[in-house]
Amino acid sequence: MTSGEGVAADTARMTEALGEAVEVMDRLWNFGGWEVTQTHDSLRPYLLEETYELLDAIQDEDAETIKEELGDLLLQVLFHSRIAEAAGEFTVAEVAAALVAKLVHRSPHLSDALDAFTAPGASVTEKIAAQEKAWEERKSAEKARRSCLDGIAMAQPALALAEKVRSRGIKAGLPEELIPPALRVVELGGPDSAEERLRKATLDFAATVRAAEDAAEIDRGMRDALTAEDWHRYWPHG
């Protein structure tokens, strides 16, 4: 068997296995039992639990359990897609197609063989830097976001949320001194949980960032990037 034939055989096996997974999900759905009573919202706890179980397996470097937990996450993808299909919204095939389109569009090196960072002799560091630059540029063009914080998943755990909001702000030119102490140091104890205190502080900070961006737009008549001086000028006080 040639290398090309081997790749084709592997692809066929993968396609067959994924097709069987979709078929089993359809059979479960068509039975008309517990599955058809679920919604995107009701499945949220399962999705979260499966994600944490996968993270535990990765931390333990347990390949067999990682494989199992990835299967559980795949079930969540199939399940949510089946719910959407029943509602006439989208299918799992459309989910896959959307992913392929996104990856290809944001990864020009997949099609532009003569691109500078794919040239012979380019280092791994150079390739990564070029990939990240192309990804962010094309992502920005796709999203046309109004705020530097748009696209952040606000339901994620408070510490991860705080880190993401802070890093996005800094990347957008926000001066470090405008970041409040509550987002610099996490204090344990007290009448409220540290998780809830940090979440509230992060959401308040995010609202202030957006308020500064809005104030700048109103004053300048356009939505544009802010300099460090701009952030200070339009930062709400009081």
Side-chain angles (χ1 to χ4, degrees):
M1 180 182 292
T2 66
S3 60
E5 291 173 336
V7 170
D10 288 342
T11 301
R13 284 193 293 270
M14 178 179 63
T15 301
E16 181 182 2
L18 290 174
E20 288 179 354
V22 173
E23 181 186 0
V24 169
M25 184 68 247
D26 283 343
R27 287 164 56 193
L28 288 169
W29 185 270
N30 291 331
F31 177 72
W34 178 82
E35 285 77 15
V36 298
T37 68
Q38 301 307 301
T39 65
H40 292 306
D41 189 62
S42 70
L43 292 180
R44 289 174 61 185
Y46 301 101
L47 176 59
L48 188 60
E49 181 180 5
E50 300 298 355
T51 301
Y52 281 125
E53 289 179 357
L54 173 59
L55 292 174
D56 282 345
I58 292 173
Q59 182 172 333
D60 294 338
E61 299 182 349
D62 184 341
E64 193 63 29
T65 304
I66 290 174
K67 179 180 69 175
E68 177 183 350
E69 298 303 338
L70 284 172
D72 290 341
L73 277 184
L74 176 58
L75 171 60
Q76 291 296 311
V77 173
L78 298 178
F79 207 156
H80 282 278
S81 298
R82 194 64 184 80
I83 290 172
E85 182 178 352
E89 298 168 342
F90 57 82
T91 67
V92 68
E94 291 173 306
V95 171
L99 172 62
V100 170
K102 177 189 291 186
L103 292 176
V104 171
H105 181 256
R106 296 186 187 177
S107 307
H109 54 289
L110 294 179
S111 55
D112 300 342
L114 299 180
D115 202 89
F117 60 81
T118 62
S123 69
V124 173
T125 300
E126 290 171 332
K127 289 182 177 181
I128 292 174
Q131 282 179 287
E132 291 178 342
K133 182 175 183 293
W135 183 278
E136 290 301 326
E137 286 177 348
R138 297 193 175 203
K139 181 178 179 180
S140 296
E142 291 171 3
K143 301 295 184 179
R145 290 171 171 163
R146 287 181 51 77
S147 171
C148 66
L149 303 183
D150 284 354
I152 295 177
M154 292 297 176
Q156 62 185 298
L159 183 57
L161 176 61
E163 289 182 323
K164 190 68 174 180
V165 168
R166 180 184 179 281
S167 67
R168 279 283 193 90
I170 294 299
K171 190 174 182 179
L174 181 71
E176 285 273 5
E177 59 267 23
L178 291 179
I179 299 174
L183 267 68
R184 297 173 182 273
V185 178
V186 177
E187 297 183 359
L188 303 180
D192 302 320
S193 71
E195 170 81 12
E196 288 306 313
R197 287 199 304 274
L198 181 58
R199 177 173 299 282
K200 183 180 184 305
T202 303
L203 294 178
D204 288 346
F205 175 68
T208 304
V209 168
R210 294 180 189 276
E213 292 172 322
D214 291 342
E217 180 181 18
I218 292 172
D219 186 44
R220 301 186 297 184
M222 61 184 296
R223 197 80 173 187
D224 203 358
L226 276 65
T227 64
E229 182 180 351
D230 291 332
W231 282 110
H232 277 288
R233 178 181 179 185
Y234 297 109
W235 196 253
H237 297 285

